[in-house]
Amino acid sequence: MLCTRCHHFEAAPDGVLCTRCATPAGFQAPPAGAPKARLRSPVGLGRATAVLLAVTAAVDAFAVGADFLTYDVTGDVLGGASGDSVPDRADLADTLTAVAASAQAAVLLACSVVFVIWLWRVRVNAEVFAPEGHSKARGWVIAGWVVPIAGFWYPRRVVLDVWDASSPEGRREGHALVNVWWTLWLLTSVVGRLLASTAEEADTGQEIHDTAVQMLFADGVDLVAALVAAVLVLRLTRMQDEKARKGPAVPVAG
């Protein structure tokens, strides 16, 4: 049978705990009254999330190409270029921009759902590693993304707590990767949405030309943010998998 505490390793033949949890320094269950927590592998969800983030980055790269074509063709129009190729390229730019916007919305939705599911999994695991190491309740794993104002820092705090709980015993990993990810997320969420709104209101050729530069920046930041998020997911997933496989540190007899 599985250990009744960590639900990860086989229990000893004559007991209900595995040899790791039976030690004084074993992984501890959350305090009484807390939601039930048990270790479950984050590897599959982590890989799925990273793949979707990579797809998001690929779609963003497509959007960058559409933005550049829009910038290029509107520049030609403003410069007085003529010929049959100009309206054809303009139509192509409009089509590619519309396709990119639809693809970005669809991929973002799918990626967001899987990312939150993965984050819930690693948060529950982190409660087994460090029951007292979380400043936000488990519900903020979801609520942190939708509650106004709190969304500016609660998700980062949740991830930082999970990160610290998942660090190797006796050695806390630095927060640089988490901070870079969160900075890029805020940038793409706030600035990106403002620029997208401005682009929708552009009517004249000059306005479209100018907003194309802004959208190049926004989609470029989206691309980098997706790649950094993928690195974060894979890193945190590996940290938890390695910590679970090694088990708790066993105190050395003096």
Side-chain angles (χ1 to χ4, degrees):
M1 62 176 288
L2 287 178
C3 172
T4 58
R5 175 174 292 168
C6 71
H7 295 267
H8 191 76
F9 299 102
E10 288 293 327
D14 56 347
V16 294
L17 299 179
C18 66
T19 55
R20 294 170 174 82
C21 290
T23 65
F27 293 148
Q28 301 297 309
K36 182 178 180 181
R38 64 186 181 91
L39 284 176
R40 297 180 64 190
S41 174
V43 175
L45 274 173
R47 289 174 179 171
T49 306
V51 168
L52 281 174
L53 286 166
V55 172
T56 300
V59 172
D60 288 332
F62 178 82
V64 167
D67 296 334
F68 181 79
L69 180 58
T70 300
Y71 172 80
D72 186 55
V73 70
T74 53
D76 288 346
V77 171
L78 293 173
S82 59
D84 295 338
S85 65
V86 175
D88 290 341
R89 288 167 57 220
D91 289 341
L92 177 60
D94 288 340
T95 300
L96 294 181
T97 299
V99 171
S102 298
Q104 284 177 311
V107 172
L108 177 62
L109 177 61
C111 191
S112 298
V113 171
V114 177
F115 181 89
V116 171
I117 294 173
W118 166 82
L119 185 56
W120 184 275
R121 173 70 59 84
V122 295
R123 165 56 193 262
V124 173
N125 287 346
E127 291 177 13
V128 179
F129 294 145
E132 305 294 342
H134 304 275
S135 59
K136 306 300 177 188
R138 191 189 296 180
W140 284 107
V141 171
I142 298 174
W145 300 98
V146 296
V147 175
I149 308 301
F152 285 107
W153 69 86
Y154 272 44
R156 173 183 174 273
R157 184 67 260 171
V158 169
V159 173
L160 282 177
D161 291 341
V162 172
W163 184 272
D164 290 341
S166 306
S167 296
E169 296 293 338
R171 178 171 60 85
R172 176 169 293 186
E173 296 283 344
H175 295 162
L177 181 57
V178 178
N179 290 332
V180 171
W181 159 72
W182 188 242
T183 299
L184 288 170
W185 168 253
L186 290 179
L187 189 61
T188 190
S189 298
V190 178
V191 178
R193 290 174 184 174
L194 290 175
L195 293 180
S197 177
T198 301
E200 291 177 356
E201 298 174 356
D203 292 324
T204 67
Q206 185 63 57
E207 290 175 343
I208 296 174
H209 183 69
D210 293 340
T211 55
V213 178
Q214 298 171 352
M215 292 309 300
L216 268 169
F217 172 77
D219 289 327
V221 172
D222 282 347
L223 192 160
V224 176
L227 293 177
V228 172
V231 173
L232 172 74
V233 168
L234 292 175
R235 176 60 182 148
L236 186 49
T237 297
R238 185 169 68 251
M239 286 166 60
Q240 286 207 342
D241 185 56
E242 291 177 351
K243 186 164 187 173
R245 290 180 183 279
K246 289 180 180 178
V250 179
V252 178

